[in-house]
Each structure stands twice: as C-alpha cells, then as structure tokens.
Amino acid sequence: MFAKSRAAMPTPETALRGRSTPILPASAEHYLFSRPLHGPYPNGLEVAIFGLGCFWGAERLFWQLGDGIWITAVGYAGGFTENPTYEEVCSGHSGHTEVVVVVYDPKVLPYERLLKTFWEAHDPTQGFRQGNDVGTQYRSAIYTTTPGQLGAARASEQAYAKAIAAKGYGPITTEIKSAGPVYLAEDYHQQYLAKVPHGYCGLAGTGVTCPSPNA
C-alpha cells in the first residue's frame, strides 16, 4: 500500500490534512549566508522554484552559482497538505515534490542560467522518480513566480526536449506551472550538504547540454 501511494498522486480530498503551524521556525537563517530564509528579501530580487529529485544535492547546485544568489532553501511544493512534514511528503499522501527555493538577482544572474542548471542536473523524463529515488516527491517540476519565468521555462523545455530526444531519451515529464504554496522544510534539511559535506546526493544528469531556446 505504501509503495502504491508513492507512485500515484493523491487528490485534494484524499490528501493528508496537515497543520496551520509552519515546520521551519520564522527565525531560521541560511547556514552559509546568514540571511533569513523566510525573508523579507531585498527589492529587485526574484524567487525561483525547482524540483529535481532529492533536494539536498539540488540545493547545493544553486548556492554554488555564487554571485546573484541571495539565499537557497529546500521545501515542499505542488501538493495539497498544509505545512507537511518530511515523513508526510515521503508517504506520497501529501502530493508534494521536494523543491529548491532560489532567491536571486535577475540583473546579475539571469533566470535562463537557473534553467540551464536545472535541466542539466537531472533526468527530466523519469516521471515519479530520479534514479533509485522513487516516489511522487522526486518528480521533476518548475514552479514559476512571474509571467516571464513561465514563458522562459516553457521555451527551455521545448529546446531541451529536442536535445535529449536526439540522444534517445523519451518525453519530458517535468511539471511546469505557476507556483502555489511552498512550505519550507525542517531545519535539518536546510543546506544539508554544507552541514554534512559527504552526505547523500542522488543527482545524475543526462549528459546532454541545454541549448538556448532560440538555438
């Protein structure tokens, strides 16, 4: 029963109810940058949200981009349960996927650079899994926070779909849509691979370069 629940999305009616209290304290700060994870963020910054498998290694990819990154954080998005716990997300009964929240300066680091990092770091054709990590919480997703992001994400998907099809990969299964509620995960998950440098990272890309959408 547990395996089946992780392989199919719940409905709003069957999802766990959750709770009104956030899982991550409002005072939480980025382990490396010493900035508030919940904000407020400086004017001019944008928020990008990506799901590409286990969020430990995924978050590290984005904080390593350097200039233009304000904070990164991990959380849960795309589901139905309010303020879910990690265990609830892993059960498959909340409907969420593990995501990285990237707060960045688009004048320094274009959104297209974040998209390139996203596509090349995982296999977006695997449905509810990434490699040996199986479940709805590992599905590929881009949740956008501006109309410009949504247009850029869809254009990049079309470009990358052509590139990986040429290498024998199947259709992209990435979920792309405007962002709904995003719930930041428990403190021990935040910047996990900075705290545990030799911890688990299950990311594995296709080896296919993401071209410019206009290429």
Side-chain angles (χ1 to χ4, degrees):
M1 181 67 70
F2 178 72
K4 289 181 179 178
S5 70
R6 294 193 304 161
M9 285 286 288
T11 66
E13 293 74 26
T14 62
L16 298 171
R17 180 172 296 180
R19 59 201 51 79
S20 60
T21 304
I23 299 301
L24 184 70
S27 60
E29 289 190 345
H30 197 280
Y31 182 76
L32 295 173
F33 302 156
S34 299
R35 296 166 179 161
L37 292 183
H38 286 287
Y41 310 124
N43 291 334
L45 302 188
E46 288 190 6
V47 178
I49 303 158
F50 301 101
L52 54 156
C54 177
F55 51 20
W56 291 346
E59 184 184 15
R60 180 171 60 181
L61 284 175
F62 289 100
W63 85 54
Q64 288 179 337
L65 292 179
D67 290 346
I69 298 293
W70 181 255
I71 62 106
T72 57
V74 295
Y76 313 119
F80 308 109
T81 301
E82 185 179 8
N83 292 302
T85 66
Y86 179 68
E87 290 76 17
E88 289 169 344
V89 171
C90 289
S91 77
H93 291 298
S94 79
H96 293 89
T97 189
E98 297 185 13
V99 297
V100 181
V101 177
V102 183
V103 181
Y104 70 104
D105 186 344
K107 296 179 181 177
V108 177
L109 187 66
Y111 184 63
E112 287 75 12
R113 179 68 180 87
L114 303 183
L115 289 169
K116 180 177 175 65
T117 299
F118 166 80
W119 291 118
E120 294 179 359
H122 76 302
D123 181 348
T125 70
Q126 293 192 336
F128 294 152
R129 70 179 300 156
Q130 278 298 307
N132 292 326
D133 294 330
V134 180
T136 54
Q137 77 271 27
Y138 298 118
R139 69 187 185 273
S140 176
I142 302 173
Y143 301 121
T144 62
T145 61
T146 70
Q149 285 186 8
L150 185 58
R154 288 175 172 165
S156 71
E157 178 194 25
Q158 293 176 3
Y160 199 58
K162 293 178 182 178
I164 62 173
K167 298 296 184 179
Y169 285 87
I172 285 177
T173 59
T174 302
E175 181 179 36
I176 300 177
K177 63 182 182 181
S178 296
V182 180
Y183 303 103
L184 296 189
E186 295 86 345
D187 183 69
Y188 73 92
H189 288 302
Q190 303 298 334
Q191 300 83 61
Y192 179 81
L193 291 181
K195 301 170 184 174
V196 186
H198 301 293
Y200 173 76
C201 176
L203 291 183
T206 62
V208 180
T209 299
C210 179
S212 166
N214 298 319

